[in-house]
């Protein structure tokens, strides 16, 4: 057995965990996703799951977009 290669499995959040972390309802996440503005996720069986890296990238995009909207002197 090759012990030099390690398998790294990224942390995954359930919809319930994501909602608790963001302090929003599941409906908010569903609405954002249906509008194309939500975090990327995948169905595992009947449940939505979200990679932590995807959630972080989504939050970063939201922060950047919000920063552009609120830049002083910009309309």
């Amino acid at each position: 057995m090759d012990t030099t290669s390690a398998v790294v499995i990224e942390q995954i959040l359930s919809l319930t965990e994501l909602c608790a972390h963001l302090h929003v309802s599941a409906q908010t996440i569903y609405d954002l996703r249906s509008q194309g503005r939500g975090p990327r996720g995948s169905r595992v069986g009947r449940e939505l799951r979200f990679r932590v890296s995807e959630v972080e990238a989504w939050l970063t995009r939201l922060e950047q977009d919000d920063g552009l909207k609120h830049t002083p002197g910009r309309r």
Side-chain angles (χ1 to χ4, degrees):
M1 184 165 114
D2 182 10
T3 58
T4 59
S5 62
V7 176
V8 177
I9 297 177
E10 183 177 354
Q11 184 178 358
I12 304 292
L13 298 174
S14 68
L15 178 62
T16 302
E17 292 169 328
L18 178 61
C19 291
H21 181 72
L22 297 175
H23 305 286
V24 298
S25 69
Q27 190 61 53
T28 297
I29 299 298
Y30 287 131
D31 290 347
L32 287 169
R33 286 173 49 83
S34 71
Q35 297 165 10
R37 300 181 354 185
R40 290 178 26 174
S42 302
R43 289 214 175 265
V44 178
R46 297 178 72 188
E47 300 289 326
L48 273 173
R49 299 286 188 247
F50 302 89
R51 290 179 184 264
V52 170
S53 63
E54 289 292 342
V55 172
E56 290 172 349
W58 170 66
L59 290 171
T60 298
R61 286 191 303 273
L62 289 179
E63 290 169 351
Q64 291 170 344
D65 291 347
D66 193 54
L68 291 174
K69 292 176 186 174
H70 299 288
T71 302
R74 184 184 163 154
R75 294 192 137 213

